[in-house]
């Protein structure tokens, strides 16, 4: 099959003629061209008759105008390509035909002169108006104006188009009066202006909706952060007050014991009768308060005393104590969040990290046993059975650990 196009070996572009190849070379500096049997695509828009030479060009046309229907006229316009330079006359061998044949003549295409005059009356240059009429298929004044709007940034928009002389066919279109031309031009400008304003308004509405949405999300996030911060501060204040109350009670008990011891050493009676009559129930209350940390009535009190004992036993190393509390809090948090995961409920006692952080400290393992952990397999593991998980105890353990970590008065007495 004879070649019907020239293909650029550098970028793959298909070109209809040697002239186009020369223009392509000047624009891109590509010089590797070869004859190809692949025809240049010719997709013609059924709405405005604009020819498109590639799928990309048709997609851009659809995006700009909304026209989606195209007719493939590639086979109708395909013809063998001439590989001779356009300005050099081609002479045929006298022995072959006996006559000379010049290169195909290129002329300005015939367009509707009436519409051309109307476009010129609207202020468009003749070359631009002729190009617009030619590439819009001489369909109408509106189609030509739309073509100019779409291609006003093309580098060759003001160059006079050229077509082969034998394909130049001039259509006839009815003329418009000067008044109709002016009205039509004004109508087209008004329509373009309204379309642009509507698009700007639509984009502004979209931007405003996005700003409102983002603003609401930021306000909600800030509100939730403030609520959580208030809850955290209230919890810390409550824990500090409770710890201070327990510390004051211990001081009072210690003062009472010292007072009683001094009276005993001085040989004085234990209490004044009048004082004993006024406070008959004080010894009972004191006995209850003294026995609270070791009485097995509630797990919470036992866990608090266990943590206090751990801190007092290792008070020379605050960093180690705080790390132990944080590790225990992590264990309790993992159990609370993932009660069905056995890996969070089973701990090897010989694990080096566990020993360094919790196991080697007096009271660490006892605290975990208070939370429900049991020694299994000969004391090699600490294990919390799934059916023995008590959410209230786990939550209480977390509360006591938080208090031990954040309360500066925890365990000082």
């Amino acid at each position: 099959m004879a070649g019907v196009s020239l293909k650029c070996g550098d970028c793959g572009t298909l070109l209809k003629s040697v002239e186009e190849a020369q223009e392509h070379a000047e624009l891109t500096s590509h010089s590797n061209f070869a004859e190809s049997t692949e025809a240049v695509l010719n997709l013609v828009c059924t709405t405005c008759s604009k020819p498109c030479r590639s799928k990309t060009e048709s997609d851009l046309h659809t995006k700009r105008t909304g026209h989606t229907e195209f007719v493939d006229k590639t086979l109708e316009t395909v013809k063998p390509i001439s590989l001779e330079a356009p300005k050099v006359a081609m002479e045929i061998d006298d022995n072959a035909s006996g006559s000379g044949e010049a290169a195909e003549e290129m002329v300005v295409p015939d367009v509707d002169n009436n519409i051309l005059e109307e476009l010129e009356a609207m202020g468009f240059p003749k070359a631009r108006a002729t190009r617009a009429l030619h590439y819009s298929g001489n369909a109408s004044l509106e189609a030509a104006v739309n073509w100019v709007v779409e291609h006003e940034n093309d580098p060759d928009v003001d160059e006079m188009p050229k077509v082969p002389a034998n394909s130049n066919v001039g259509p006839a279109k009815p003329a418009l009066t000067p008044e109709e031309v002016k009205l039509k031009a004004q109508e087209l400008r008004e329509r373009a202006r309204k379309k642009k304003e509507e698009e700007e308004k639509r984009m502004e509405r979209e931007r405003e909706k996005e700003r409102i949405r983002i603003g609401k999300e930021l306000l909600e996030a800030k509100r939730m952060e403030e609520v959580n911060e208030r809850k955290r501060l209230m919890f810390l204040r409550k824990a500090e007050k409770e710890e201070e109350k327990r510390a004051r009670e211990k001081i009072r008990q210690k003062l009472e014991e010292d007072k009683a011891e001094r009276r005993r050493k001085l040989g004085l009676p234990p209490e004044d009768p009048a004082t004993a009559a006024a406070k008959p129930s004080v010894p009972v209350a004191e006995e209850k308060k003294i026995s609270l940390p070791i009485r097995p009535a509630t797990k919470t009190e036992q866990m608090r005393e266990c943590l206090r004992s751990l801190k007092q036993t290792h008070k020379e190393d605050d960093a180690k104590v705080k790390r132990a509390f944080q590790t225990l809090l992590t264990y309790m948090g993992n159990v609370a969040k993932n009660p069905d995961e056995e890996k969070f409920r089973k701990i090897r006692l010989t694990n080096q990290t566990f020993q360094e952080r919790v196991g080697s400290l007096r009271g660490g393992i006892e605290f975990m046993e208070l939370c429900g952990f049991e020694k299994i397999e000969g004391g090699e593991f600490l294990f919390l059975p799934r059916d023995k998980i008590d959410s209230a105890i786990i939550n209480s353990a977390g509360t006591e650990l938080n208090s031990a970590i954040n309360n500066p008065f925890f365990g000082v007495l």
Side-chain angles (χ1 to χ4, degrees), residues 9 18 66 83 120 162 197 207 230 263 266 290 389 405:
V18 175
L83 300 180
E120 290 179 333
K162 296 294 182 67
E197 289 179 354
R207 287 192 292 268
R230 285 197 296 270
R263 292 179 66 85
L266 293 173
I290 294 173
I389 295 178
I405 293 171

Side-chain angles (χ1 to χ4, degrees), residues 235 239-240 243 246 398-408 410:
F235 173 80
E240 289 175 0
E243 188 62 25
R246 289 192 293 268
T399 301
E400 294 301 323
L401 286 166
N402 269 317
S403 176
I405 293 171
N406 299 310
N407 188 352
F410 185 85

Side-chain angles (χ1 to χ4, degrees), residues 116-312:
L116 179 62
E117 292 175 359
E118 294 168 8
L119 289 171
E120 290 179 333
M122 292 170 64
F124 294 107
K126 184 174 182 179
R128 184 179 298 194
T130 303
R131 181 176 287 270
L133 283 172
H134 172 64
Y135 286 112
S136 64
N138 291 280
S140 64
L141 177 64
E142 182 177 357
V145 173
N146 288 336
W147 189 95
V148 171
V149 172
E150 293 173 9
H151 298 80
E152 61 181 353
N153 295 323
D154 292 355
D156 58 349
V157 69
D158 287 322
E159 294 180 9
M160 187 67 74
K162 296 294 182 67
V163 296
N166 58 5
S167 64
N168 195 9
V169 179
K173 296 290 180 178
L176 296 177
T177 64
E179 290 77 9
E180 291 176 333
V181 170
K182 291 181 180 179
L183 290 175
K184 190 68 174 179
Q186 184 178 358
E187 179 184 351
L188 292 174
R189 292 193 190 97
E190 185 67 19
R191 189 180 303 173
R193 184 185 63 78
K194 288 182 178 180
K195 184 177 181 181
K196 185 176 181 180
E197 289 179 354
E198 290 175 358
E199 182 66 18
E200 290 177 351
K201 289 180 180 179
R202 186 186 68 81
M203 293 300 296
E204 183 60 30
R205 287 196 297 269
E206 293 296 328
R207 287 192 292 268
E208 184 64 23
K209 288 180 181 179
E210 185 66 13
R211 285 195 294 269
I212 292 173
R213 184 186 66 79
I214 294 174
K216 287 182 178 179
E217 290 180 357
L218 291 175
L219 288 175
E220 181 63 19
K222 185 177 180 181
R223 187 187 67 81
M224 291 301 299
E225 183 180 358
E226 292 175 351
V227 170
N228 292 334
E229 182 66 15
R230 285 197 296 270
K231 289 181 179 179
R232 189 182 69 84
L233 293 176
M234 290 175 62
F235 173 80
L236 289 177
R237 284 197 292 269
K238 183 178 179 181
E240 289 175 0
K241 288 181 179 179
E242 291 179 354
E243 188 62 25
E244 290 173 0
K245 183 178 180 181
R246 289 192 293 268
R248 286 195 298 270
E249 182 62 23
K250 277 206 166 187
I251 292 173
R252 190 189 67 78
Q253 292 176 7
K254 182 65 176 176
L255 291 175
E256 292 293 335
E257 292 174 359
D258 291 344
K259 182 178 179 181
E261 180 65 18
R262 287 196 300 272
R263 292 179 66 85
R264 185 185 65 78
K265 288 181 179 181
L266 293 173
L268 298 176
E271 282 185 340
D272 184 69
T275 305
K279 301 187 293 182
S281 60
V282 170
V284 177
E286 290 179 354
E287 182 180 356
K288 287 183 181 179
K289 290 178 182 177
I290 294 173
S291 62
L292 278 176
I294 59 175
R295 192 183 70 179
T298 63
K299 287 285 184 71
T300 301
E301 294 174 347
Q302 294 179 42
M303 287 188 288
R304 184 185 306 126
E305 183 60 28
C306 185
L307 294 176
R308 183 182 292 107
S309 174
L310 189 152
K311 184 171 183 178
Q312 290 180 346

